[in-house]
Amino acid sequence: MRRAFAVALAVLVGASCLTACASDPAPTDVGVAWAPNGRPAVVVTWKDTGQPNRITIEGVLSESPSYVKYIPAGDPNRWEIPTAEFPPDGNYKIVVATGTSQGGVTSKPSKSPVFDTDGPVRPSAATVAQQGRGVLIRWSVPVAPQDFTPNDPLDVTGKKTQRYVPMIGRPGEMLKAIGPATTANQQLIKSIKPPYVFQLRAQNEWSTRAGGDVLGLTSTISGVVPPKAQYGLPIRARGRVILHQVSCDLDAPCITRRATPAGVPVVVLTQVTPGARWTPAARGATTGGGYYDIAVPTSGSRPYKISVPVSAKGGSFTGTSTSRPGYTKTVVRIASAGFVGGDTAKAKGSTVTVSVAVLPAMNTTVMLQAWNRQTRRWMPAKALAMRNGKAALAFKAAQPGDFVYRIVVPGGMMFGRPMDGIVTPQLQLRVR
Protein backbone atom coordinates (compact mmCIF):
# COMPACT_ATOMS: atom_id res chain seq x y z
CA MET A 1 0.00 0.00 0.00
CA ARG A 2 2.85 2.39 0.86
CA ARG A 3 4.60 1.52 -2.47
CA ALA A 4 1.49 2.33 -4.53
CA PHE A 5 1.09 5.69 -2.80
CA ALA A 6 4.73 6.59 -3.58
CA VAL A 7 4.26 5.81 -7.27
CA ALA A 8 1.10 7.94 -7.45
CA LEU A 9 2.87 10.82 -5.75
CA ALA A 10 5.78 10.64 -8.25
CA VAL A 11 3.35 10.79 -11.19
CA LEU A 12 1.59 13.81 -9.69
CA VAL A 13 4.87 15.65 -9.13
CA GLY A 14 6.03 14.91 -12.70
CA ALA A 15 2.78 16.24 -14.15
CA SER A 16 3.04 19.48 -12.20
CA CYS A 17 6.68 19.96 -13.38
CA LEU A 18 5.70 19.50 -17.01
CA THR A 19 3.00 22.14 -16.66
CA ALA A 20 5.45 24.54 -15.08
CA CYS A 21 8.08 23.94 -17.83
CA ALA A 22 5.61 24.96 -20.51
CA SER A 23 3.89 27.68 -18.58
CA ASP A 24 6.00 30.69 -19.69
CA PRO A 25 4.09 33.29 -21.75
CA ALA A 26 4.24 32.63 -25.49
CA PRO A 27 5.68 35.29 -27.82
CA THR A 28 3.12 37.23 -29.84
CA ASP A 29 2.84 39.03 -33.17
CA VAL A 30 5.40 36.92 -35.03
CA GLY A 31 6.00 38.63 -38.36
CA VAL A 32 8.30 38.22 -41.38
CA ALA A 33 9.64 40.79 -43.80
CA TRP A 34 12.50 41.17 -46.23
CA ALA A 35 15.87 42.46 -45.14
CA PRO A 36 16.97 45.54 -47.09
CA ASN A 37 19.72 45.72 -49.74
CA GLY A 38 18.66 43.04 -52.18
CA ARG A 39 16.59 40.76 -49.93
CA PRO A 40 19.47 38.62 -48.66
CA ALA A 41 17.52 37.39 -45.63
CA VAL A 42 14.10 37.10 -44.01
CA VAL A 43 13.71 39.35 -40.95
CA VAL A 44 11.72 37.74 -38.13
CA THR A 45 10.20 39.95 -35.41
CA TRP A 46 8.03 39.16 -32.37
CA LYS A 47 6.92 40.51 -29.00
CA ASP A 48 7.59 39.14 -25.53
CA THR A 49 8.86 40.25 -22.11
CA GLY A 50 12.59 39.91 -22.73
CA GLN A 51 12.64 36.12 -22.50
CA PRO A 52 15.12 33.84 -24.30
CA ASN A 53 13.70 32.55 -27.57
CA ARG A 54 13.99 29.58 -29.88
CA ILE A 55 13.42 30.13 -33.68
CA THR A 56 12.69 27.33 -36.14
CA ILE A 57 11.25 26.96 -39.67
CA GLU A 58 8.17 24.82 -40.06
CA GLY A 59 7.09 23.31 -43.37
CA VAL A 60 3.47 23.55 -44.42
CA LEU A 61 2.88 20.47 -46.59
CA SER A 62 6.67 20.67 -47.04
CA GLU A 63 9.49 19.06 -45.09
CA SER A 64 10.76 21.29 -42.30
CA PRO A 65 14.42 22.28 -42.69
CA SER A 66 16.78 21.63 -39.77
CA TYR A 67 17.19 25.24 -38.74
CA VAL A 68 17.30 26.24 -35.05
CA LYS A 69 18.42 29.57 -33.54
CA TYR A 70 18.43 30.55 -29.86
CA ILE A 71 18.17 34.23 -28.93
CA PRO A 72 19.46 35.15 -25.46
CA ALA A 73 17.21 36.97 -23.01
CA GLY A 74 17.45 40.71 -23.34
CA ASP A 75 18.49 40.67 -27.02
CA PRO A 76 16.28 42.52 -29.53
CA ASN A 77 13.24 40.60 -30.68
CA ARG A 78 14.56 40.48 -34.19
CA TRP A 79 16.55 37.94 -36.20
CA GLU A 80 17.59 37.57 -39.87
CA ILE A 81 17.45 34.13 -41.51
CA PRO A 82 19.47 33.93 -44.76
CA THR A 83 17.36 32.94 -47.75
CA ALA A 84 19.74 30.02 -48.37
CA GLU A 85 18.26 28.33 -45.25
CA PHE A 86 14.88 27.99 -46.95
CA PRO A 87 14.40 25.10 -49.41
CA PRO A 88 13.03 26.38 -52.73
CA ASP A 89 9.49 25.89 -53.91
CA GLY A 90 7.83 25.19 -50.58
CA ASN A 91 5.46 26.74 -48.05
CA TYR A 92 6.74 27.64 -44.58
CA LYS A 93 6.09 29.40 -41.28
CA ILE A 94 8.56 30.85 -38.78
CA VAL A 95 7.99 29.44 -35.27
CA VAL A 96 9.09 31.45 -32.20
CA ALA A 97 8.88 30.04 -28.69
CA THR A 98 10.35 30.80 -25.25
CA GLY A 99 13.27 28.53 -24.44
CA THR A 100 16.99 27.88 -24.31
CA SER A 101 19.31 25.23 -25.66
CA GLN A 102 19.80 23.79 -22.15
CA GLY A 103 16.30 24.10 -20.69
CA GLY A 104 14.29 23.40 -23.81
CA VAL A 105 11.04 25.06 -24.88
CA THR A 106 9.03 26.54 -22.00
CA SER A 107 6.07 28.10 -23.83
CA LYS A 108 3.61 27.37 -26.49
CA PRO A 109 4.90 28.19 -30.02
CA SER A 110 3.80 31.27 -31.96
CA LYS A 111 3.86 31.19 -35.74
CA SER A 112 4.13 33.69 -38.55
CA PRO A 113 1.75 33.77 -41.49
CA VAL A 114 2.44 31.15 -44.20
CA PHE A 115 4.71 32.24 -47.07
CA ASP A 116 6.08 30.47 -50.13
CA THR A 117 9.64 30.20 -51.46
CA ASP A 118 8.76 29.80 -55.12
CA GLY A 119 11.84 30.17 -57.31
CA PRO A 120 12.03 31.94 -60.68
CA VAL A 121 10.33 30.61 -63.78
CA ARG A 122 12.88 28.90 -66.02
CA PRO A 123 13.50 30.73 -69.34
CA SER A 124 12.63 28.70 -72.42
CA ALA A 125 12.38 28.89 -76.21
CA ALA A 126 15.63 30.80 -76.70
CA THR A 127 16.39 31.79 -80.30
CA VAL A 128 19.47 33.29 -81.91
CA ALA A 129 19.98 35.50 -84.96
CA GLN A 130 23.12 37.00 -86.44
CA GLN A 131 23.43 40.75 -85.99
CA GLY A 132 26.55 42.34 -87.39
CA ARG A 133 29.58 40.54 -86.01
CA GLY A 134 27.62 39.29 -83.04
CA VAL A 135 24.38 37.53 -82.25
CA LEU A 136 21.08 38.65 -80.79
CA ILE A 137 19.58 36.13 -78.39
CA ARG A 138 15.93 36.32 -77.42
CA TRP A 139 14.09 34.17 -74.93
CA SER A 140 10.63 33.76 -73.52
CA VAL A 141 9.43 32.75 -70.08
CA PRO A 142 6.35 30.60 -69.45
CA VAL A 143 3.52 31.85 -67.29
CA ALA A 144 4.30 31.43 -63.60
CA PRO A 145 2.52 28.52 -61.92
CA GLN A 146 -0.37 29.18 -59.55
CA ASP A 147 0.52 30.92 -56.29
CA PHE A 148 -1.06 28.94 -53.46
CA THR A 149 -0.19 31.61 -50.87
CA PRO A 150 -1.30 34.79 -52.62
CA ASN A 151 -0.37 38.09 -50.96
CA ASP A 152 1.81 36.46 -48.34
CA PRO A 153 4.11 38.82 -46.36
CA LEU A 154 7.13 38.02 -48.57
CA ASP A 155 5.50 38.27 -51.97
CA VAL A 156 7.42 40.63 -54.26
CA THR A 157 5.06 42.61 -56.42
CA GLY A 158 5.62 44.04 -59.88
CA LYS A 159 5.72 42.77 -63.45
CA LYS A 160 9.46 42.06 -63.47
CA THR A 161 10.18 40.19 -60.28
CA GLN A 162 13.01 38.07 -61.66
CA ARG A 163 16.26 38.93 -63.41
CA TYR A 164 18.42 37.13 -65.95
CA VAL A 165 22.20 36.81 -65.82
CA PRO A 166 23.76 36.03 -69.25
CA MET A 167 26.42 33.30 -69.03
CA ILE A 168 28.92 32.06 -71.61
CA GLY A 169 30.86 28.80 -71.57
CA ARG A 170 33.87 28.07 -73.81
CA PRO A 171 35.94 24.91 -74.17
CA GLY A 172 38.30 24.50 -71.23
CA GLU A 173 36.67 27.31 -69.24
CA MET A 174 33.98 27.51 -66.60
CA LEU A 175 30.62 29.09 -67.30
CA LYS A 176 30.92 32.75 -66.44
CA ALA A 177 28.73 35.83 -66.48
CA ILE A 178 29.27 38.20 -69.39
CA GLY A 179 27.06 41.02 -68.21
CA PRO A 180 24.92 42.30 -65.35
CA ALA A 181 21.55 40.85 -64.49
CA THR A 182 18.75 42.19 -66.65
CA THR A 183 14.98 42.17 -66.73
CA ALA A 184 14.89 42.30 -70.53
CA ASN A 185 14.11 39.26 -72.69
CA GLN A 186 17.01 39.66 -75.12
CA GLN A 187 20.78 39.99 -75.08
CA LEU A 188 23.11 41.29 -77.80
CA ILE A 189 26.54 39.64 -77.69
CA LYS A 190 29.08 41.45 -79.82
CA SER A 191 32.05 39.88 -81.62
CA ILE A 192 31.45 36.35 -80.41
CA LYS A 193 32.71 33.37 -82.35
CA PRO A 194 31.67 29.74 -81.88
CA PRO A 195 32.06 27.34 -80.24
CA TYR A 196 30.27 28.43 -77.08
CA VAL A 197 27.19 27.78 -75.02
CA PHE A 198 24.98 30.63 -73.87
CA GLN A 199 22.87 30.14 -70.78
CA LEU A 200 20.61 32.27 -68.64
CA ARG A 201 20.57 32.19 -64.87
CA ALA A 202 17.11 33.30 -63.82
CA GLN A 203 17.14 34.77 -60.33
CA ASN A 204 14.53 35.91 -57.88
CA GLU A 205 14.57 36.54 -54.17
CA TRP A 206 14.65 32.82 -53.34
CA SER A 207 16.79 30.88 -55.80
CA THR A 208 18.36 30.55 -59.25
CA ARG A 209 17.42 28.40 -62.22
CA ALA A 210 19.31 27.80 -65.45
CA GLY A 211 17.61 27.79 -68.85
CA GLY A 212 17.36 29.47 -72.23
CA ASP A 213 20.40 27.65 -73.63
CA VAL A 214 21.79 28.61 -77.04
CA LEU A 215 24.54 26.61 -78.74
CA GLY A 216 27.18 28.36 -80.81
CA LEU A 217 28.55 25.63 -83.07
CA THR A 218 31.59 25.33 -85.28
CA SER A 219 31.69 22.94 -88.20
CA THR A 220 34.19 21.00 -90.25
CA ILE A 221 33.36 19.74 -93.71
CA SER A 222 34.96 17.24 -96.04
CA GLY A 223 33.97 17.04 -99.68
CA VAL A 224 34.93 15.64 -103.07
CA VAL A 225 33.79 16.31 -106.63
CA PRO A 226 34.51 14.10 -109.70
CA PRO A 227 37.64 15.07 -111.68
CA LYS A 228 35.70 15.03 -114.97
CA ALA A 229 32.13 15.67 -116.09
CA GLN A 230 30.30 15.54 -119.40
CA TYR A 231 29.03 18.95 -120.41
CA GLY A 232 25.52 19.63 -119.08
CA LEU A 233 25.26 16.48 -116.97
CA PRO A 234 25.23 17.00 -113.20
CA ILE A 235 27.99 15.74 -110.99
CA ARG A 236 27.60 14.61 -107.37
CA ALA A 237 29.31 16.50 -104.56
CA ARG A 238 29.66 14.18 -101.59
CA GLY A 239 31.07 14.50 -98.09
CA ARG A 240 30.32 14.88 -94.41
CA VAL A 241 29.70 17.72 -91.97
CA ILE A 242 30.72 17.44 -88.31
CA LEU A 243 29.49 20.00 -85.80
CA HIS A 244 31.38 20.83 -82.62
CA GLN A 245 29.33 21.96 -79.63
CA VAL A 246 30.19 23.00 -76.10
CA SER A 247 28.84 21.17 -73.07
CA CYS A 248 29.17 22.64 -69.57
CA ASP A 249 28.64 21.40 -66.02
CA LEU A 250 28.41 23.70 -63.02
CA ASP A 251 31.52 22.40 -61.29
CA ALA A 252 33.85 21.56 -64.19
CA PRO A 253 35.34 23.27 -67.25
CA CYS A 254 33.31 23.10 -70.43
CA ILE A 255 34.17 20.44 -73.00
CA THR A 256 33.62 20.03 -76.75
CA ARG A 257 31.43 17.30 -78.19
CA ARG A 258 30.92 16.18 -81.79
CA ALA A 259 27.54 15.97 -83.47
CA THR A 260 26.46 14.82 -86.95
CA PRO A 261 22.82 15.87 -87.27
CA ALA A 262 20.64 15.88 -90.35
CA GLY A 263 19.40 19.13 -91.83
CA VAL A 264 22.60 21.19 -91.74
CA PRO A 265 22.58 23.51 -94.81
CA VAL A 266 25.34 22.88 -97.38
CA VAL A 267 26.25 25.10 -100.36
CA VAL A 268 28.42 24.12 -103.34
CA LEU A 269 30.42 27.13 -104.54
CA THR A 270 32.20 27.62 -107.87
CA GLN A 271 34.24 30.12 -109.88
CA VAL A 272 32.69 30.56 -113.33
CA THR A 273 35.85 32.17 -114.74
CA PRO A 274 39.40 32.24 -113.37
CA GLY A 275 39.74 34.83 -110.61
CA ALA A 276 35.99 35.41 -110.33
CA ARG A 277 34.26 35.43 -106.96
CA TRP A 278 32.87 32.20 -105.60
CA THR A 279 29.15 31.89 -106.25
CA PRO A 280 26.60 29.21 -105.32
CA ALA A 281 26.21 26.38 -107.84
CA ALA A 282 23.93 24.09 -105.80
CA ARG A 283 22.41 23.76 -102.35
CA GLY A 284 21.47 20.86 -100.14
CA ALA A 285 21.51 19.60 -96.56
CA THR A 286 22.98 16.79 -94.54
CA THR A 287 21.16 13.55 -93.90
CA GLY A 288 21.61 11.15 -90.96
CA GLY A 289 25.19 10.91 -89.77
CA GLY A 290 26.04 14.32 -91.23
CA TYR A 291 26.47 13.05 -94.81
CA TYR A 292 25.45 14.96 -97.93
CA ASP A 293 25.08 14.06 -101.61
CA ILE A 294 24.21 17.02 -103.84
CA ALA A 295 23.62 17.14 -107.60
CA VAL A 296 25.61 19.99 -109.16
CA PRO A 297 24.86 21.20 -112.73
CA THR A 298 27.90 21.56 -114.96
CA SER A 299 28.94 23.60 -117.98
CA GLY A 300 32.60 24.59 -118.40
CA SER A 301 35.58 23.28 -116.48
CA ARG A 302 35.83 24.93 -113.08
CA PRO A 303 36.74 24.46 -109.41
CA TYR A 304 34.20 23.64 -106.73
CA LYS A 305 34.26 23.82 -102.96
CA ILE A 306 31.63 22.92 -100.42
CA SER A 307 30.66 25.25 -97.60
CA VAL A 308 28.57 25.21 -94.44
CA PRO A 309 27.09 28.71 -94.37
CA VAL A 310 26.50 30.74 -91.23
CA SER A 311 23.02 29.78 -90.08
CA ALA A 312 20.78 30.39 -87.12
CA LYS A 313 18.04 27.90 -86.39
CA GLY A 314 16.07 27.92 -83.16
CA GLY A 315 18.50 27.78 -80.29
CA SER A 316 21.66 27.13 -82.29
CA PHE A 317 24.04 29.26 -84.30
CA THR A 318 26.43 27.51 -86.71
CA GLY A 319 29.62 29.13 -87.93
CA THR A 320 30.89 28.68 -91.47
CA SER A 321 33.46 26.20 -92.75
CA THR A 322 34.69 25.32 -96.25
CA SER A 323 36.27 22.27 -97.84
CA ARG A 324 39.37 22.36 -100.01
CA PRO A 325 38.59 23.25 -103.65
CA GLY A 326 38.36 20.41 -106.16
CA TYR A 327 38.71 20.91 -109.93
CA THR A 328 36.25 19.28 -112.34
CA LYS A 329 37.25 19.31 -116.02
CA THR A 330 34.40 19.33 -118.52
CA VAL A 331 34.35 16.86 -121.43
CA VAL A 332 32.47 17.54 -124.68
CA ARG A 333 29.26 15.51 -124.62
CA ILE A 334 28.01 13.51 -127.60
CA ALA A 335 24.36 14.37 -128.11
CA SER A 336 23.97 12.02 -131.13
CA ALA A 337 26.20 10.15 -133.58
CA GLY A 338 25.44 7.66 -136.34
CA PHE A 339 24.11 7.23 -139.86
CA VAL A 340 21.18 9.35 -141.02
CA GLY A 341 18.03 7.28 -141.04
CA GLY A 342 19.51 4.84 -138.56
CA ASP A 343 20.09 2.19 -141.23
CA THR A 344 23.50 0.54 -140.82
CA ALA A 345 23.08 -1.82 -143.80
CA LYS A 346 23.37 -0.19 -147.24
CA ALA A 347 23.44 -1.39 -150.83
CA LYS A 348 26.59 -0.92 -152.89
CA GLY A 349 26.56 2.44 -154.69
CA SER A 350 24.03 4.05 -152.33
CA THR A 351 24.68 7.30 -150.49
CA VAL A 352 25.53 7.11 -146.81
CA THR A 353 25.44 10.15 -144.51
CA VAL A 354 27.25 10.04 -141.18
CA SER A 355 26.62 12.83 -138.61
CA VAL A 356 27.47 13.93 -135.11
CA ALA A 357 26.02 16.51 -132.72
CA VAL A 358 27.71 17.66 -129.51
CA LEU A 359 27.20 19.91 -126.52
CA PRO A 360 28.18 22.66 -126.11
CA ALA A 361 27.25 23.85 -129.60
CA MET A 362 30.83 24.56 -130.65
CA ASN A 363 32.45 25.57 -133.94
CA THR A 364 35.49 23.46 -134.74
CA THR A 365 36.83 20.79 -137.11
CA VAL A 366 36.20 17.12 -136.38
CA MET A 367 37.85 14.08 -137.95
CA LEU A 368 36.08 11.06 -139.41
CA GLN A 369 38.29 7.99 -138.92
CA ALA A 370 38.04 4.46 -140.36
CA TRP A 371 39.38 1.26 -138.84
CA ASN A 372 42.09 -0.43 -140.94
CA ARG A 373 41.96 -4.18 -140.33
CA GLN A 374 45.35 -4.79 -141.93
CA THR A 375 47.29 -2.26 -139.85
CA ARG A 376 44.86 -2.47 -136.94
CA ARG A 377 44.87 1.29 -136.63
CA TRP A 378 42.40 4.12 -136.94
CA MET A 379 43.13 6.01 -140.11
CA PRO A 380 41.97 9.56 -140.93
CA ALA A 381 39.23 9.53 -143.56
CA LYS A 382 37.88 13.09 -143.77
CA ALA A 383 38.06 16.34 -141.82
CA LEU A 384 34.60 17.83 -141.25
CA ALA A 385 33.62 21.36 -140.35
CA MET A 386 31.42 21.53 -137.26
CA ARG A 387 29.06 24.47 -136.90
CA ASN A 388 26.85 25.07 -133.88
CA GLY A 389 27.83 21.67 -132.57
CA LYS A 390 26.82 19.71 -135.69
CA ALA A 391 28.80 18.04 -138.49
CA ALA A 392 27.82 15.60 -141.29
CA LEU A 393 29.40 13.89 -144.33
CA ALA A 394 27.68 12.16 -147.25
CA PHE A 395 29.63 9.56 -149.27
CA LYS A 396 28.94 6.63 -151.65
CA ALA A 397 29.20 3.05 -150.48
CA ALA A 398 31.71 2.10 -153.19
CA GLN A 399 32.43 -1.53 -152.32
CA PRO A 400 30.77 -4.24 -150.28
CA GLY A 401 32.03 -5.28 -146.84
CA ASP A 402 31.92 -4.43 -143.15
CA PHE A 403 33.31 -1.05 -142.13
CA VAL A 404 33.81 0.69 -138.81
CA TYR A 405 33.99 4.47 -138.37
CA ARG A 406 34.28 6.95 -135.53
CA ILE A 407 34.38 10.72 -135.23
CA VAL A 408 37.00 12.49 -133.13
CA VAL A 409 35.84 15.79 -131.59
CA PRO A 410 38.74 17.97 -130.34
CA GLY A 411 38.74 19.88 -127.08
CA GLY A 412 38.40 23.62 -126.80
CA MET A 413 38.24 26.59 -124.47
CA MET A 414 35.18 27.71 -122.52
CA PHE A 415 34.99 30.53 -119.96
CA GLY A 416 38.76 30.82 -120.12
CA ARG A 417 39.40 27.19 -119.23
CA PRO A 418 40.23 24.11 -121.36
CA MET A 419 37.62 21.50 -122.13
CA ASP A 420 38.48 17.92 -123.12
CA GLY A 421 37.44 16.50 -126.48
CA ILE A 422 35.71 13.17 -127.04
CA VAL A 423 35.45 10.29 -129.49
CA THR A 424 32.13 8.87 -130.62
CA PRO A 425 31.34 5.19 -130.07
CA GLN A 426 32.22 2.90 -133.02
CA LEU A 427 29.83 3.27 -135.97
CA GLN A 428 29.30 -0.07 -137.76
CA LEU A 429 28.32 -0.07 -141.48
CA ARG A 430 27.61 -3.08 -143.73
CA VAL A 431 27.60 -2.62 -147.50
CA ARG A 432 25.92 -5.39 -149.53
Side-chain angles (χ1 to χ4, degrees), residues 145-390:
Q146 181 180 353
D147 185 356
F148 291 99
T149 61
N151 303 315
D152 73 52
L154 299 180
D155 272 354
V156 178
T157 60
K159 294 182 179 180
K160 297 181 178 180
T161 60
Q162 63 182 44
R163 305 172 74 83
Y164 309 97
V165 179
M167 312 285 290
I168 283 289
R170 296 183 180 276
E173 300 178 2
M174 304 290 289
L175 269 168
K176 60 183 180 181
I178 59 168
T182 177
T183 58
N185 66 342
Q186 65 180 35
Q187 179 78 27
L188 176 63
I189 307 177
K190 299 180 180 180
S191 302
I192 184 171
K193 294 182 179 179
Y196 61 83
V197 62
F198 173 89
Q199 189 180 86
L200 291 165
R201 296 291 172 85
Q203 300 175 336
N204 72 354
E205 60 274 14
W206 290 113
S207 58
T208 299
R209 282 195 175 99
D213 290 7
V214 166
L215 291 177
L217 309 172
T218 54
S219 60
T220 54
I221 184 169
S222 61
V224 294
V225 292
K228 289 191 176 183
Q230 291 193 56
Y231 178 88
L233 296 183
I235 58 174
R236 309 296 301 191
R238 295 182 174 95
R240 192 183 192 192
V241 176
I242 298 175
L243 300 182
H244 306 271
Q245 65 184 51
V246 176
S247 176
C248 299
D249 293 326
L250 292 178
D251 55 353
C254 302
I255 60 174
T256 303
R257 300 183 186 275
R258 297 193 348 160
T260 54
V264 178
V266 178
V267 179
V268 182
L269 303 171
T270 190
Q271 281 182 316
V272 176
T273 58
R277 67 185 184 92
W278 291 89
T279 56
R283 299 178 185 272
T286 58
T287 56
Y291 295 97
Y292 63 88
D293 185 345
I294 303 173
V296 183
T298 63
S299 51
S301 303
R302 58 190 60 178
Y304 296 94
K305 62 182 180 181
I306 299 92
S307 174
V308 176
V310 172
S311 63
K313 182 180 180 181
S316 65
F317 176 86
T318 304
T320 184
S321 63
T322 305
S323 70
R324 292 182 177 181
Y327 190 81
T328 299
K329 194 171 187 178
T330 296
V331 180
V332 176
R333 178 159 64 98
I334 301 295
S336 63
F339 299 102
V340 175
D343 190 0
T344 59
K346 295 288 186 177
K348 178 183 176 182
S350 61
T351 299
V352 179
T353 301
V354 64
S355 67
V356 63
V358 301
L359 292 172
M362 55 197 303
N363 297 325
T364 186
T365 300
V366 301
M367 178 61 69
L368 176 66
Q369 294 181 337
W371 178 251
N372 188 311
R373 288 187 175 84
Q374 284 72 35
T375 62
R376 303 187 63 82
R377 294 176 60 188
W378 289 101
M379 304 299 294
K382 180 70 175 179
L384 308 177
M386 174 173 279
R387 296 292 179 265
N388 293 322
K390 296 179 180 179

Side-chain angles (χ1 to χ4, degrees), residues 130-153:
Q130 187 174 16
Q131 184 163 316
R133 294 184 178 180
V135 292
L136 179 64
I137 299 175
R138 292 188 173 95
W139 60 89
S140 59
V141 181
V143 176
Q146 181 180 353
D147 185 356
F148 291 99
T149 61
N151 303 315
D152 73 52

